[in-house]
Amino acid sequence: MAGPILLHLLVVLIWQLVADYGGLPTYILPSPTETLATLFEPRNRWIENTGITALEIFGGFLLAVGIGVTIALLFSWSRLTLVLFMPLLVSLNMIPKVALGPLIIVWFGYGVVTNMAIAFAICFFPIVITTARGLSEIEPEMLYLARTVNASKWQIFLKIQFPGALPYIFSGMKVSAVLAVAGAIVGEFIGSEKGLGYLMLQVQINLDTATMFMAVLMITLIGVVLYGAVALLEWLLVKRGGAA
Amino acid sequence: MTKPFIHVSNLRKVFNPGKANEYLALSDVSLDIEEGELISIVGPSGCGKSTLLMIVAGLLEASGGTLEIGGGAGAFDPHRHVGMVFQQALLLKWRTVLDNVLLPAEFLRLPRREARERARDLLNLVGLEGQETKYPKQLSGGQQQRVAIARSLVHDPRLVLMDEPFGALDALTREKMNLELLRIWEQSGKTILFVTHGISEAVLLGSRIAVMTAGPARLARKIDVDLPYPRRLDMKTHENFGAYTREVYGLLGME
Ligand SMILES: Nc1ncnc2c1ncn2[C@@H]1O[C@H](COP(=O)(O)OP(=O)(O)OP(=O)(O)O)[C@@H](O)[C@H]1O
Ligand SMILES: [Mg+2]
């Protein structure tokens, strides 16, 4: 544990030294202390901008998990929906979601909803695909075994299928957590009036690189919190005890 | 004459009837089994052994012939009185050993406390005392299969169907498990249908052996194995044992 932490600190230290003595101008490479100092600049409205961006990311992500898992459940309950809609979803997944940004702005206008929608669009598919995969991953013999003791479809789902799919769902959620961050920020770049991505564009005009660095750190922090929450939940539900 | 526990006569199974991929999996199987019997079923791959078990378990419809279970004492409920063991242990990796054994009891909504007690007794019976709180991946292949056997008995079924339960184990573990199964069978008094590819396993375990042949799949012969129980591994060197294995090899055309 100590090794990785020390290494992180070492990188920050090198960054500080290069910024201080490397002869690079501040607008190219601000130092860690200069970067942190921007936190005290009220014009940056850190709390509001971070809150907005976090809302877009968490909102888009949770929406994707809710809708994605539900659709995968429908697929596992009805073969017909699976056969009909899965190929369609796979085709839709081929669309680069980021390219939809300008369109989504036309539909929803600037703002939180739009960026949430982009975050949702980008992290929805991995959830559906991994969940559907996990739910279908039940051995036929296990089904026979359940049926000899009169297990209902619902009992099989609750006791075998869903717990069996959880590791898959979590791996999809981890991928999506990272994507959701990218989606929301791209949304803010394309058009917005608030958020960390918006702040970056604002200060870019003045070559305020330190604030841009700080914004990137804040975005990263949001991503880490989201990923950490998913990993924690996974540990609680799946990895604790001897399973998986 | 009283009716046998299981009465199978002229059983047929055609997969995909009337279609291009129609397949005759069982052409004519007749077999009577008494309650408490351990009967081995041997035959080459694809001869319909699993299909036969599935029909007996009520998981597949036969295409013709008759299957009657439950002659003798009490009514037979296929949703209540069948236990199954497959080649893979099929344990749920997020459940402890004890909770895996309890799965059928949960599906059948049997009273919790009694089920737990029974599950514990069965884990002792299969030689896994003290392992209740372990998870499947902490067990060896043989131990996992013991859990599967305990699970197949937890709801006190009258009939246990085993489809190559030891097929994935190494030779030594397999022989050990054969003895364990004999002991479990003698102590539990269950009727067991034991499907295997292993001819000496079939002779060692069964009071009778049903030999099936392929193309078209049918039951070639039923052999009574007159070796005394309790059976021991050293009986394999017995001259009668060799005679029985030779007979089975002969029926399978493998002399
Ligand atoms: N659902 C099915 N649809 C079509 N054919 C099937 C189906 N199930 C089994 N068969 C065919 O029926 C035949 C008998 O299958 P079965 O699984 O009963 O054989 P088996 O004796 O258990 O073989 P093995 O020893 O390899 O397990 C095989 O040729 C198989 O391909
Ligand atoms: Mg088989």
Side-chain angles (χ1 to χ4, degrees):
Chain A
M1 204 54 201
I5 292 175
L6 281 179
L7 197 63
H8 279 75
L9 291 177
L10 187 67
V11 169
V12 176
L13 184 69
I14 292 172
W15 170 16
Q16 180 80 45
L17 289 176
V18 171
D20 284 349
Y21 304 107
L24 291 168
T26 304
Y27 70 85
I28 297 290
L29 185 70
S31 71
T33 43
E34 284 164 332
T35 301
L36 281 176
T38 63
L39 278 177
F40 301 101
E41 172 54 61
R43 269 180 310 162
N44 290 339
R45 295 166 176 272
W46 286 111
I47 295 179
E48 185 190 358
N49 285 324
T50 306
I52 293 285
T53 301
L55 180 68
E56 291 163 358
I57 293 171
F58 293 169
F61 174 77
L62 290 178
L63 217 59
V65 172
I67 297 179
V69 170
T70 308
I71 288 185
L73 288 184
L74 287 179
F75 283 172
S76 96
W77 283 80
S78 144
R79 238 200 106 59
L80 184 68
T81 52
L82 175 74
V83 172
L84 275 180
F85 288 101
M86 194 55 143
L88 179 66
L89 274 186
V90 171
S91 305
L92 286 176
N93 190 28
M94 288 294 136
I95 302 173
K97 263 66 67 183
V98 169
L100 294 177
L103 267 174
I104 297 181
I105 289 177
V106 171
W107 293 332
F108 296 118
Y110 284 173
V112 175
V113 175
T114 299
N115 299 334
M116 219 185 259
I118 296 173
F120 165 82
I122 205 169
C123 65
F124 165 73
F125 292 100
I127 305 261
V128 179
I129 307 281
T130 53
T131 308
R133 170 92 198 286
L135 290 171
S136 68
E137 204 76 345
I138 176 172
E139 291 101 337
E141 284 90 354
M142 193 73 219
L143 279 180
Y144 300 148
L145 205 143
R147 278 166 52 204
T148 55
V149 284
N150 210 20
S152 66
K153 219 175 162 182
W154 175 243
Q155 280 180 319
I156 292 174
F157 172 75
L158 222 56
K159 290 183 190 289
I160 302 175
Q161 237 182 334
F162 189 71
L166 272 181
Y168 291 84
I169 298 177
F170 275 109
S171 74
M173 276 166 65
K174 282 178 173 169
V175 172
S176 286
V178 176
L179 291 175
V181 176
I185 298 302
V186 165
E188 291 185 348
F189 284 168
I190 299 172
S192 63
E193 296 160 325
K194 277 168 189 158
L196 295 168
Y198 166 77
L199 175 66
M200 286 182 77
L201 294 184
Q202 286 299 297
V203 297
Q204 187 195 31
I205 303 163
N206 310 322
L207 288 183
D208 182 357
T209 315
T211 301
M212 292 171 69
F213 265 59
M214 196 61 229
V216 171
L217 285 179
M218 289 302 242
I219 295 164
T220 310
L221 192 65
I222 298 172
V224 168
V225 168
L226 180 58
Y227 193 91
V230 172
L232 179 68
L233 201 63
E234 179 185 36
W235 184 80
L236 286 174
L237 293 178
V238 180
K239 297 219 168 125
R240 205 172 39 154
Chain B
M1 223 190 105
T2 55
K3 280 215 259 169
F5 178 46
I6 301 175
H7 175 66
V8 176
S9 78
N10 309 110
L11 205 69
R12 257 171 80 79
K13 177 65 191 178
V14 183
F15 284 111
N16 312 310
K19 301 214 184 98
N21 56 350
E22 179 176 289
Y23 187 83
L24 179 62
L26 290 176
S27 76
D28 182 10
V29 174
S30 300
L31 181 66
D32 284 347
I33 300 165
E34 298 301 334
E35 187 138 34
E37 224 184 328
L38 198 177
I39 182 157
S40 305
I41 302 173
V42 274
S45 188
C47 73
K49 305 181 295 293
S50 298
T51 304
L52 177 62
L53 279 201
M54 299 281 279
I55 294 172
V56 172
L59 296 169
L60 265 183
E61 286 275 334
S63 314
T66 42
L67 165 72
E68 288 164 16
I69 311 182
F76 182 86
D77 176 359
H79 291 312
R80 177 68 188 74
H81 294 134
V82 176
M84 289 196 94
V85 183
F86 293 93
Q87 183 166 348
Q88 315 94 295
L90 301 169
L91 302 180
L92 302 176
K93 61 176 186 280
W94 58 90
R95 282 180 171 236
T96 61
V97 164
L98 184 70
D99 286 339
N100 264 292
V101 173
L102 282 169
L103 189 70
E106 288 175 24
F107 283 144
L108 288 166
R109 299 180 199 285
L110 301 183
R112 239 164 220 285
R113 277 220 1 241
E114 288 100 281
R116 285 182 85 82
E117 243 162 65
R118 212 182 132 68
R120 286 220 173 79
D121 290 346
L122 285 168
L123 283 170
N124 291 346
L125 176 69
V126 300
L128 286 177
E129 50 275 279
Q131 320 269 350
E132 286 134 47
T133 55
K134 284 200 176 162
Y135 285 88
K137 71 163 184 195
Q138 296 169 292
L139 303 180
S140 69
Q143 288 175 319
Q144 293 190 11
Q145 211 51 287
R146 288 167 197 253
V147 178
I149 292 173
R151 179 183 56 194
S152 76
L153 297 171
V154 73
H155 51 298
D156 203 12
R158 292 174 66 191
L159 174 61
V160 182
L161 305 173
M162 301 190 167
D163 197 347
E164 298 178 46
F166 309 137
L169 303 178
D170 63 89
L172 278 177
T173 311
R174 187 170 182 156
E175 292 201 315
K176 205 168 158 208
M177 291 301 293
N178 286 162
L179 295 179
E180 292 283 303
L181 181 65
L182 282 166
R183 187 176 56 78
I184 292 164
W185 170 64
E186 274 158 39
Q187 289 184 21
S188 65
K190 302 294 179 200
T191 309
I192 299 179
L193 265 65
F194 186 91
V195 165
T196 177
H197 282 134
I199 290 168
S200 78
E201 184 177 65
V203 177
L204 181 69
L205 296 181
S207 50
R208 278 192 298 154
I209 308 172
V211 183
M212 294 177 66
T213 50
R218 57 187 190 88
L219 214 158
R221 263 284 275 294
K222 285 152 271 186
I223 303 172
D224 289 313
V225 183
D226 285 323
L227 293 169
Y229 290 98
R231 297 211 176 140
R232 299 181 316 270
L233 283 182
D234 61 20
M235 288 180 178
K236 289 194 177 182
T237 57
H238 199 281
E239 145 187 8
N240 286 354
F241 195 95
Y244 288 123
T245 50
R246 270 194 300 282
E247 187 175 358
V248 177
Y249 276 118
L251 286 166
L252 294 174
M254 288 164 63
E255 275 160 306

